[in-house]
Amino acid sequence: MGLILLLVLVEAGIFLVLVLTGELAVAAAVAGFAALAVMSAVLVWPLVSGADRIRSWVVRRNDLPDLEPPGLRGGPLVAQLQSVLHAVTHTLDERDTHIVRLARDNDHLLDALRAPVLLVSGDSTLVRFNGAAGRAFGDLRTGQHVSRILRDPGFDSAVAAGLGDGLSSAVEVVVTRDHVDSHYVLDVAPLPAGMGDAALMVVCHDVTGARMTEKMRVDFVANASHEIRSPLTTLVGCIETLQGPARDDADSRARFLAMMEAQGRRMANLVEDLLSLSRIEIREHTQPDGEVAIGSLLARLASTLHFEADRRSMTIDLDIPDSMPAVRGDEDEIEQALYNLVANAIGYGRQGTAVSLAAGVADRPPDYLRVARGRLAWISVTDQGDGIEAHHLPRLTERFYRVDKARSRERGGTGLGLAIVKHILSRHRGELHVASTPGKGSVFTVWLPVVFHESVMKSS
């Protein structure tokens, strides 16, 4: 409308000049002006109206990509404008397709990275993240404040420095999920302008293995020096005796050699259990994703320990349903954990009794479980031994904790068997529960996540 008014004013000025200079009579000027004004309005109005509708469509199309272009009516000029509009539409469609393709490619690139990556906006909210970040930090969603993801003051300060002063920094944090700690070094770096909503990139490097290796070295030295001292002292004493007073005494030599063999085996078992425990701790933060058939594993375990049970006139009874589902985990580690429990049941059960192995599935875990969630498999190992006093139960899985130290050492135990069970189950996001009645026996129950197949859900 403004353009038409401007044209009319220009035309009026031209006719006024012609009248004042005497080039045109007043009547003729009025008639000519009226005719020219009408023609201008008829010719220009469709163009002006069409241009306004096109401008409105372009503005709205940024928010509504599927918005159809407006239809225009008019003469040849409007038809040319309509063709230009179709060309603009085609260009905008290609631009949108290119943007979508770039976003998809960027998502694929981020997801291909094994390290967790977070993209943070200028107001400290999460813009994007890759699959590794979702697996590492749990339930992430765009728009949440990053301080709620890690809840670490050092990380919050690094983000504030990156957004406020444009400073890059690195900070180490500990992330606890399902009572398992993971260590990450976070590289926080500002992004250049023009990166969309993202103003900051956080790349997370998992250093749990390195930290656990350091801890393993310290713990191994401390534990080994404490536990190996006693058998080593016995070995040195036996050697000195054989070199001295018992040098020519055949009976004493045989007795001391037997003691040396027993203490040597004890040290070898101790070192093996310490190394096994350390290997499990290094991987404890990464949950295994294999499938383990519990029924066949328990049957194989009963066959392996059959001779141990025979030596004490004991039997191993199995109660496993045919429909027992697989559990999520590492087969060797689960077998090691169950082996330790069954071997303990045979060792501490009364001679001539039975050790019972049972298994089943619970759709809802008991309230006393702290970590395990969802549909769980349970495997119980029941002995008919002397039982365990209640005050011992909370400490059973501590390293080197023994209820009966003399009997444990007599059996060749290292005091690490249940600690190994605990850490194996922790890695599998499972749990161990112990119930015991003094004078009657104990029940050790392992809880493990069941493998969930989507096809099962659909069929049900």
Side-chain angles (χ1 to χ4, degrees):
M1 191 67 183
L3 180 60
I4 295 176
L5 182 59
L6 179 61
L7 288 174
V8 170
L9 291 176
V10 170
E11 292 167 357
I14 292 172
F15 279 101
L16 181 60
V17 170
L18 292 174
V19 170
L20 293 176
T21 57
E23 297 292 332
L24 197 63
V26 174
V30 171
F33 168 74
L36 191 57
V38 171
M39 290 178 62
S40 298
V42 171
L43 292 174
V44 175
W45 173 251
L47 292 176
V48 173
S49 175
D52 286 340
R53 295 177 65 187
I54 291 172
R55 180 179 56 80
S56 175
W57 170 75
V58 170
V59 171
R60 295 175 60 199
R61 193 181 186 279
N62 288 329
D63 297 324
L64 302 171
D66 296 330
L67 187 66
E68 292 292 330
L72 304 178
R73 296 180 181 180
L77 291 177
V78 176
Q80 292 181 12
L81 186 60
Q82 185 79 54
S83 66
V84 171
L85 177 60
H86 285 300
V88 170
T89 303
H90 179 69
T91 302
L92 290 176
D93 289 339
E94 286 187 337
R95 182 206 64 176
D96 293 342
T97 302
H98 184 61
I99 291 174
V100 170
R101 184 166 57 249
L102 285 176
R104 185 173 61 248
D105 291 344
N106 287 339
D107 288 339
H108 290 162
L109 287 173
L110 284 178
D111 285 333
L113 296 175
R114 297 182 63 183
V117 177
L118 308 173
L119 296 183
V120 183
S121 68
D123 58 357
S124 300
T125 58
L126 187 61
V127 176
R128 292 170 69 187
F129 58 91
N130 64 352
R135 291 188 294 271
F137 306 128
D139 184 22
L140 297 182
R141 60 189 183 279
T142 56
Q144 71 179 126
H145 202 278
V146 291
S147 63
R148 298 186 178 182
I149 298 174
L150 298 176
R151 301 185 183 276
D152 184 275
F155 173 64
D156 295 342
S157 299
V159 170
L163 294 177
D165 302 325
L167 299 177
S168 298
S169 57
V171 60
E172 183 166 345
V173 301
V174 178
V175 179
T176 302
R177 292 191 64 198
D178 298 329
H179 297 272
V180 176
D181 291 340
S182 298
H183 298 256
Y184 289 92
V185 171
L186 311 181
D187 285 332
V188 182
L191 293 174
M195 298 294 290
D197 295 333
L200 207 67
M201 174 180 281
V202 181
V203 181
C204 313
H205 305 282
D206 190 346
V207 295
T208 307
R211 298 297 176 264
M212 293 304 297
T213 300
E214 295 171 5
K215 182 177 181 296
M216 175 190 72
R217 179 179 57 80
V218 173
D219 288 348
F220 182 83
V221 172
N223 294 327
S225 63
H226 174 73
E227 289 294 322
I228 290 178
R229 184 180 296 115
S230 177
L232 196 57
T233 301
T234 303
L235 277 174
V236 172
C238 289
I239 292 171
E240 290 176 348
T241 303
L242 288 174
Q243 289 175 337
R247 176 180 300 173
D248 299 321
D249 187 337
D251 293 337
S252 296
R253 185 165 57 247
R255 186 172 70 255
F256 282 113
L257 285 174
M259 292 174 59
M260 291 172 65
E261 181 187 13
Q263 295 301 322
R265 290 186 182 277
R266 179 183 167 190
M267 284 195 296
N269 291 337
L270 177 62
V271 171
E272 179 59 34
D273 281 354
L274 282 172
L275 291 175
S276 178
L277 184 58
S278 298
R279 285 192 295 266
I280 294 165
E281 285 184 308
I282 288 175
R283 302 192 302 268
E284 191 171 345
H285 65 290
T286 58
Q287 184 178 3
D289 57 2
E291 297 185 11
V292 181
I294 288 297
S296 59
L297 188 151
L298 290 177
R300 184 170 67 249
L301 203 57
S303 176
T304 301
L305 290 167
H306 171 72
F307 299 104
E308 291 290 331
D310 281 349
R311 290 193 187 99
R312 305 199 66 218
S313 303
M314 301 175 74
T315 59
I316 300 177
D317 300 335
L318 294 177
D319 182 12
I320 307 165
D322 294 334
S323 59
M324 186 70 190
V327 299
R328 180 75 64 196
D330 181 287
E331 184 168 2
D332 291 339
E333 290 186 0
I334 291 177
E335 184 171 2
Q336 181 181 7
L338 294 176
Y339 180 95
N340 287 357
L341 294 177
V342 179
N344 280 352
I346 294 173
Y348 291 101
R350 285 189 291 270
Q351 188 164 342
T353 60
V355 172
S356 301
L357 296 182
V361 178
D363 291 325
R364 183 177 179 181
D367 294 336
Y368 55 73
L369 295 184
R370 297 184 308 132
V371 177
R373 295 288 181 268
R375 192 166 184 251
L376 301 174
W378 58 267
I379 305 102
S380 65
V381 180
T382 306
D383 66 58
Q384 299 177 43
D386 296 332
I388 305 170
E389 297 288 345
H391 66 276
H392 289 297
L393 297 182
R395 301 190 61 188
L396 284 179
T397 56
E398 292 181 12
R399 299 184 188 202
F400 304 113
Y401 186 82
R402 298 176 175 93
V403 175
D404 186 341
K405 295 183 180 180
R407 188 174 179 183
S408 174
R409 290 196 170 97
E410 180 184 338
R411 292 183 57 247
T414 62
L416 293 172
L418 292 180
I420 290 173
V421 172
K422 171 191 173 183
H423 285 281
I424 287 176
L425 296 182
S426 177
R427 183 181 180 226
H428 286 73
R429 308 303 185 258
E431 206 161 334
L432 175 68
H433 181 259
V434 185
S436 186
T437 303
K440 293 186 177 180
S442 306
V443 181
F444 288 77
T445 305
V446 168
W447 295 87
L448 289 167
V450 170
V451 174
F452 181 79
H453 292 290
E454 188 176 353
S455 57
V456 174
M457 180 190 71
K458 291 181 178 178
S459 63
S460 61

